[in-house]
Amino acid sequence: MSVPLAEDIDWFAWAVDAAALTDGLLRSGWEPLPGPPPDQQLDFVKQGVESSFALLDRDRSGRVVVAGGPWAGESWPEGMLDAAEGRLGALRCGIISAHAQIEIKRMTPVWVPGRPRRRKDAEDISRLRSALGLKA
């Protein structure tokens, strides 16, 4: 199975790292894009590829929550950071669990009224469910 080239990449980053992340991306030629409040999400583009960084925080109970904007403090899916750690070159990074990815892609149009369901998201959900051995 061939995987199509990315037109957009969705990332998660801790809000405390937002300034350093922004600085590094700008120095690497990424350009900022308008979008949600910058304490909620950072959007950039380079060579036609968009990268969005949803900013994370933890609440007093330790749950992973939306860092800012109108949904500040709202919980992300339970267990979203429970997947095995991954690597990008020498950089170690957390991976969003497949179950959380499915829930996020399925629920985003509900959580963000007016955001249409995208064909790409339906394809991603199907691919994730198949990888998990789940029926469609």
Side-chain angles (χ1 to χ4, degrees):
M1 168 173 77
S2 69
V3 177
L5 294 176
E7 295 175 16
D8 72 276
I9 305 169
D10 299 320
W11 304 88
F12 289 88
W14 295 107
V16 298
D17 298 326
L21 174 64
T22 297
D23 182 56
L25 288 167
L26 294 174
R27 283 187 288 112
S28 297
W30 289 83
E31 297 177 28
L33 291 172
D39 59 344
Q40 174 186 325
Q41 180 173 306
L42 303 172
D43 295 331
F44 295 89
V45 65
K46 182 177 179 180
Q47 299 176 349
V49 176
E50 292 182 20
S51 282
S52 297
F53 297 83
L55 299 178
L56 305 175
D57 202 354
R58 288 195 186 269
D59 66 12
R60 291 181 184 178
S61 300
R63 290 178 302 216
V64 179
V65 298
V66 176
W71 295 283
E74 291 292 325
S75 294
W76 283 100
E78 188 69 34
M80 79 179 257
L81 299 179
D82 290 348
E85 190 174 72
R87 296 177 68 99
L88 292 170
L91 178 66
R92 299 176 99 149
C93 54
I95 297 174
I96 305 304
S97 74
H99 290 287
Q101 289 181 52
I102 291 168
E103 182 175 351
I104 292 166
K105 287 183 172 290
R106 202 175 102 273
M107 293 301 297
T108 295
V110 175
W111 294 334
V112 184
R115 177 154 180 192
R117 291 202 183 271
R118 301 181 305 175
R119 180 177 175 198
K120 174 193 171 303
D121 292 327
E123 292 168 351
D124 289 347
I125 290 169
S126 178
R127 201 173 295 118
L128 287 162
R129 289 183 63 80
S130 176
L132 292 170
L134 303 174
K135 294 183 180 180

